[in-house]
Each structure stands twice: as structure tokens, then as C-alpha cells.
Amino acid sequence: IPSLLGKDSPGHIIDPETGQPVQTEFAVSVIAKTGMMSDSLSTTLLLLGPAKGRVLIQGMAKVSAVWIAPDARVETAMSGPQILLGRKT
């Protein structure tokens, strides 16, 4: 699967089950209390995907995440700040 940037290069996140770069259709962004928490959660949520990731976020306080696919599909999980997504007009 090509990256969201249109490149076919592998990513820097390694799937712990295969030892290979993660093959995912999503990019993930996280809002949390600290940058360190946002960074670690975004990697974890990329590996989990939206369905399992939502379950994780629901058990946490003040955390929000958004998964965005190249075809404009968007999935969110929020127990914290609201994520507002703009639309082209």
C-alpha cells in the first residue's frame, strides 16, 4: 500500500509480529496531555487500527485520536479534546 504522501517507500514503524514495516492504510494523529504520550499513542494506534484503537482510547482520560485514509475516510475516538475536521468548499 503506498503511503499517504504517494510514495512506495516503507515506513519507520515496525510490526512487532512480523518484524517488517507496518502496512497500513491510515495515518494517525493523537491529542493528549503531553507530546510523549501523543507520540507513543499514535504509534500504538497505528498498529491497532481504528476498531481496537477506539477501545483503548475509551479507557483513557483526555485523549483523542483521528485515523485518516488516502480515500478521505476518517475515523475518530475521543475521550478528550474535540477534533474538528474542516471540509473543502
Side-chain angles (χ1 to χ4, degrees):
I1 297 174
S3 79
L4 291 175
L5 300 175
K7 300 175 185 174
D8 290 332
S9 61
H12 70 281
I13 299 173
I14 304 300
D15 185 328
E17 293 182 6
T18 66
Q20 298 295 315
V22 171
Q23 296 285 324
T24 180
E25 61 184 314
F26 291 100
V28 181
S29 292
V30 176
I31 300 171
K33 188 171 182 174
T34 67
M36 185 182 299
M37 180 180 257
S38 294
D39 183 44
S40 60
L41 278 172
S42 65
T43 300
T44 301
L45 295 174
L46 185 72
L47 291 167
L48 290 176
K52 291 179 181 176
R54 271 193 293 281
V55 174
L56 178 66
I57 296 296
Q58 289 171 354
M60 303 180 85
K62 300 181 182 178
V63 176
S64 298
V66 60
W67 290 261
I68 302 173
D71 64 1
R73 283 180 296 130
V74 175
E75 305 217 20
T76 60
M78 292 181 249
S79 68
Q82 183 178 7
I83 296 174
L84 301 174
L85 302 170
R87 294 182 183 216
K88 281 187 168 181
T89 55

